[in-house]
Amino acid sequence: MLPEHKLKAFLDLLKSSGREELAWMNGYLAGLLASGQEQQAPVPVQPVSQSALPKITIAYGTETGNSKKLAIDFATQAKKNGINAKLVSLDQYRVNDLSKEEYFFTVISTQGEGEPPAAAKKFYDHIHQNGFKLEHLKYGVLALGDTSYPLFCKAGEDVDSQLQKLGGKRIVSLQKCDTDFQTEANGWFSQVLQNLHVNSNGNGAVITAPVTAKKSTGKKTYTGTILSHVNLNDRGSEKQTYHIEVAVDGEPDYQPGDSIGIIPKNHKVLVESILALAGIDGEKSLTWRNENISIKNLLTHKLNIAYLPERVVSKYAAIVKQEIPETKIGLAELLRIYPVKDAVQLDEVIGILEPITPRLYSVSSSPAAHTGEMHITVARDTFCINKEQKFGLCSDYLAQLPENSVFEFYVNRNNQFRLPAPGKDIIMIGPGTGIAPFRSFLAERDATSAKGRNWLFFGEQHFISDFLYQTEIQNWGPEI
Ligand SMILES: Cc1cc2nc3c(=O)[nH]c(=O)nc-3n(C[C@H](O)[C@H](O)[C@H](O)COP(=O)(O)O)c2cc1C
């Protein structure tokens, strides 16, 4: 409620305002509240007539739905501000329309190793071709990513710089967002809306200075302690699938459908062999990304040394001045076959290594059924290189973590993958470890007495040895 003097001023303002002005105020307040920046003095925006407001296109490129969700939020806010906003997925976008756009905003995530999502590939390739200009285009890019990846928000960065190279005018700085993207995204929406209003009032607000991406706040990490660690496959199976129960410090904030991100540790034996091959003292300290850290800890916890991406192998080849064939190879093998000459080369090699990327595992527990715990279902990844058996880094790390060990993780939300309303029937198809999120769905429905019916289709190699969660599933339903 407003105090009397403010209420009077407010009512006077309303009485003296026309319909269009009221619509503008409504949109302005909605944008301000949604941005969470109401405590900061708002920059006054001059009301403009509806017809003067620009038409904008908001195009999103997404893999798991985060960019789509933000693009929808942005379009909603723009419409509330009286802006004619067209929303489109980049895979549906007609690339030839780009030259006709006046205002074009992209919300795009990064996937793979710094690549655009599959749905944005056509658009991404198109703007990377030469031979055309976008001189009338005014644009802005909101980039989604995860700071745990070496090429943080690379696809968004590329789109932002490429549109500028083609002659586009950036009207808002590139905003890079980590997995906790909402606050940064809201701030960026407000900034765009402000700029659109400013532009409509005839004051150009084109940003020509180099991109100064604001730093993201980072994601919340949890510490988990392994309570139970069981191989779900029976004797005779060709697989190892671990059910891992984790006690979490503080109530974990997640929903069925979410996954957890884990940064695995490199194996002690591998780290020791690299230190021996390189002839370095593991206790020696160095500075890595502003952190003072021993080489041993750096190799154990931070750097990817197990299988190096091609781009790192070719940088290694350039340092040691050797031809190295394209193959799946780790740092230890490289050092053994193509040794470094001296300490200078070794420093250079450490400089080209990339951080360990997180691995995502679907959560197989339910917050309603397993209070204070989170469960995951992990298949140990096994493969052969030159007839030698090898294991995937993270699944091997998790497969070997004894009970009571402690590790860190974060929650990766997936708002596109949620249980429907409790009364709705669901059909779930989850072979192998694909059962994980559906165990979570079923446990949640069971614990909350949801009335909808549930069908689960599950398959694995052998009924006898590979029927994951057999007893639990049979207890839920009579039919097999
Ligand atoms: C397989 C995979 C690879 C990823 N690679 C990167 C990457 O190279 N750089 C980055 O910043 N984020 C990377 N991410 C994180 C995503 O960009 C991030 O989760 C984003 O919020 C996803 O948005 P979307 O749902 O719109 O696709 C990756 C995520 C996955 C699942």
Side-chain angles (χ1 to χ4, degrees), residues 253-268:
D253 179 14
Y254 77 101
Q255 290 181 52
D258 287 341
S259 44
I260 64 173
I262 299 172
I263 299 184
K265 263 199 318 193
N266 286 308
H267 212 286
K268 202 172 160 213

Side-chain angles (χ1 to χ4, degrees), residues 322-348:
Q322 301 241 28
E323 292 249 322
I324 303 179
E326 271 181 30
T327 171
K328 201 169 186 179
I329 194 162
L331 181 61
E333 284 85 353
L334 277 180
L335 286 168
R336 195 165 31 243
I337 309 170
Y338 311 98
V340 288
K341 199 172 71 201
D342 51 28
V344 178
Q345 280 195 350
L346 188 64
D347 280 352
E348 284 181 59

Side-chain angles (χ1 to χ4, degrees), residues 167-418:
K169 312 276 178 307
R170 184 189 294 113
I171 68 153
V172 59
S173 294
L174 167 73
Q175 173 67 61
K176 298 200 268 185
C177 302
D178 203 349
T179 50
D180 283 357
F181 42 74
Q182 198 67 54
T183 312
E184 266 84 26
N186 284 339
W188 187 84
F189 299 158
S190 304
Q191 227 184 314
V192 174
L193 296 178
Q194 295 272 354
N195 284 0
L196 288 174
H197 280 283
V198 171
N199 273 331
S200 312
N201 285 329
N203 307 316
V206 171
I207 296 176
T208 48
V211 179
T212 47
K214 278 179 243 147
K215 216 184 154 339
S216 178
T217 49
K219 52 194 155 282
K220 176 169 178 174
T221 50
Y222 291 95
T223 304
T225 309
I226 298 204
L227 291 174
S228 147
H229 188 280
V230 183
N231 181 5
L232 297 173
N233 300 97
D234 240 322
R235 257 181 306 165
S237 171
E238 285 158 31
K239 301 194 169 187
Q240 293 174 45
T241 312
Y242 291 91
H243 171 71
I244 302 176
E245 298 189 352
V246 183
V248 183
D249 278 0
E251 200 49 43
D253 179 14
Y254 77 101
Q255 290 181 52
D258 287 341
S259 44
I260 64 173
I262 299 172
I263 299 184
K265 263 199 318 193
N266 286 308
H267 212 286
K268 202 172 160 213
V269 176
L270 181 63
V271 173
E272 297 294 348
S273 77
I274 288 172
L275 291 173
L277 279 162
I280 8 173
D281 172 11
E283 300 311 321
K284 201 180 129 198
S285 283
L286 47 77
T287 306
W288 185 80
R289 299 197 170 185
N290 299 327
E291 192 185 339
N292 208 10
I293 185 165
S294 73
I295 295 189
K296 190 172 178 176
N297 275 340
L298 185 64
L299 293 176
T300 308
H301 299 282
K302 306 279 183 186
L303 294 179
N304 176 28
I305 52 174
Y307 302 106
L308 307 180
E310 249 172 70
R311 58 177 176 274
V312 174
V313 177
S314 59
K315 284 183 198 162
Y316 185 98
I319 292 171
V320 296
K321 300 188 179 58
Q322 301 241 28
E323 292 249 322
I324 303 179
E326 271 181 30
T327 171
K328 201 169 186 179
I329 194 162
L331 181 61
E333 284 85 353
L334 277 180
L335 286 168
R336 195 165 31 243
I337 309 170
Y338 311 98
V340 288
K341 199 172 71 201
D342 51 28
V344 178
Q345 280 195 350
L346 188 64
D347 280 352
E348 284 181 59
V349 168
I350 290 178
I352 60 164
L353 295 174
E354 296 179 346
I356 303 173
T357 51
R359 274 53 168 187
L360 297 180
Y361 294 92
S362 289
V363 180
S364 52
S365 54
S366 120
H370 310 103
T371 317
E373 291 178 15
M374 290 177 89
H375 303 171
I376 48 174
T377 314
V378 179
R380 194 179 188 196
D381 181 20
T382 318
F383 53 96
C384 270
I385 297 182
N386 299 332
K387 298 194 182 141
E388 212 184 311
Q389 181 151 62
K390 303 274 182 189
F391 299 101
L393 179 65
C394 195
S395 63
D396 188 45
Y397 163 72
L398 290 169
Q400 297 195 51
L401 271 187
E403 281 173 17
N404 294 321
S405 12
V406 171
F407 67 102
E408 286 201 339
F409 64 88
Y410 62 90
V411 172
N412 193 65
R413 294 188 195 293
N414 188 357
N415 290 328
Q416 300 305 302
F417 187 42
R418 293 283 181 242

Side-chain angles (χ1 to χ4, degrees), residues 61-68 109-115 117 144-147 149 151-154 179 181 360 412:
T62 189
E63 196 77 41
T64 53
N66 294 337
S67 306
K68 179 178 179 182
S109 70
T110 297
Q111 296 294 321
E113 288 181 7
E115 289 138 33
L144 263 63
D146 182 335
T147 42
Y149 286 87
L151 300 173
F152 176 51
C153 289
K154 172 82 168 49
T179 50
F181 42 74
L360 297 180
N412 193 65

Side-chain angles (χ1 to χ4, degrees), residues 5 24 114 248 479:
H5 68 284
W24 179 86
V248 183
E479 293 140 46

